[in-house]
Amino acid sequence: MRVFNTLVFIFFIFLLISCKKEPKNNQQDSEIRDRYFNLEKIGWKSRSYTQVVDDIGFTATEVPIQYYLLKDLGSENLQHIDSLYEENKRERVIEFTFQQDEEKDLLGKDFTGMDYTASVKYMSFGLDKDFYVVTSKKDTIRCSGVNFERNYKIAPFQKVLLFFSGIDPNDKIQLIYNDYLFRKGTLKFKFKDPFTPIAL
């Protein structure tokens, strides 16, 4: 009888503990959903800055890490996405597009002075040396990687994703582009506010 009472007591304690944890998880899940909804509501890619030099438009768009996490993993397990964001919140991703006014292919010899294959190689493997970020604390962060999204002449623009590491999520940043590919000089794109007020 004593063993039975002990087992009932242990089962009751276990049931009580598991019931207390579940509302907390539901509350966390609800808070995370609200934050993501607010981030989506203001526009995932709302911070776009464009400069036009001669007939080429250069557009820099800061995209929050959460956008890529949700796009890749879906929204079923938001707590997992939240934990991944916490591990990677010092990373920044910037979409950078190049587009000619008349929608001509920018990788041709007329624009770069190189043959098409050399231009593609430069976009894929050499462009990271042309970008860096200056933080509000005056730190200079080199581009840690570039992903050139090939469109095979279907879209009227060229797009790369730029990756930067080790940036405080509360820092404002300025993207500096030294254009050696099209020889248009140095371009600066100042991102005014970090995403952190509503981010996780």
Side-chain angles (χ1 to χ4, degrees):
M1 189 74 171
R2 190 176 221 184
V3 172
F4 178 75
N5 287 340
T6 305
L7 287 174
V8 169
F9 179 73
I10 290 172
F11 177 74
F12 179 73
I13 295 296
F14 177 74
L15 185 65
L16 189 62
I17 290 171
S18 64
C19 288
K20 284 187 177 180
K21 284 185 178 177
E22 194 171 7
K24 184 179 178 185
N25 287 341
N26 287 340
Q27 183 180 1
Q28 283 178 336
D29 189 61
S30 178
E31 288 173 11
I32 293 168
R33 284 188 190 284
D34 288 345
R35 289 179 192 154
Y36 279 131
F37 174 77
N38 288 334
L39 190 56
E40 186 177 12
K41 188 175 165 186
I42 65 163
W44 288 108
K45 301 180 181 184
S46 63
R47 298 200 178 128
S48 290
Y49 300 93
T50 301
Q51 292 187 38
V52 178
V53 181
D54 296 332
D55 59 346
I56 300 176
F58 301 88
T59 303
T61 307
E62 186 176 6
V63 184
I65 297 292
Q66 298 96 316
Y67 171 80
Y68 292 106
L69 292 172
L70 284 169
K71 186 176 176 184
D72 190 44
L73 302 173
S75 61
E76 286 77 34
N77 189 350
L78 289 180
Q79 291 187 1
H80 176 63
I81 289 173
D82 185 36
S83 67
L84 288 174
Y85 167 73
E86 284 299 320
E87 291 174 20
N88 296 288
K89 67 183 177 183
R90 297 184 63 83
E91 308 293 319
R92 297 281 180 104
V93 178
I94 297 175
E95 285 185 0
F96 199 85
T97 57
F98 309 83
Q99 185 167 3
Q100 201 270 339
D101 283 349
E102 297 173 9
E103 299 184 354
K104 294 179 181 174
D105 190 351
L106 285 171
L107 298 181
K109 195 166 192 164
D110 296 344
F111 296 103
T112 64
M114 299 185 256
D115 67 25
Y116 195 83
T117 304
S119 297
V120 169
K121 283 182 183 176
Y122 191 85
M123 289 284 279
S124 301
F125 306 110
L127 203 62
D128 59 335
K129 297 173 194 76
D130 298 351
F131 288 95
Y132 63 94
V133 160
V134 177
T135 68
S136 56
K137 296 173 184 164
K138 305 298 182 206
D139 292 329
T140 300
I141 313 284
R142 290 268 165 213
C143 184
S144 57
V146 171
N147 181 28
F148 174 40
E149 295 184 1
R150 295 285 306 271
N151 60 33
Y152 300 96
K153 301 182 182 184
I154 295 172
F157 57 84
Q158 301 296 332
K159 181 166 76 170
V160 294
L161 295 178
L162 308 170
F163 304 98
F164 298 90
S165 299
I167 301 173
D168 183 334
N170 297 312
D171 268 356
K172 296 178 183 179
I173 61 171
Q174 182 177 33
L175 177 69
I176 312 293
Y177 173 45
N178 294 315
D179 181 21
Y180 297 112
L181 185 62
F182 305 108
R183 301 170 308 280
K184 301 299 182 189
T186 300
L187 303 170
K188 299 179 181 181
F189 302 85
K190 190 164 192 167
F191 296 96
K192 295 183 178 129
D193 298 312
F195 284 96
T196 50
I198 55 169
L200 304 174

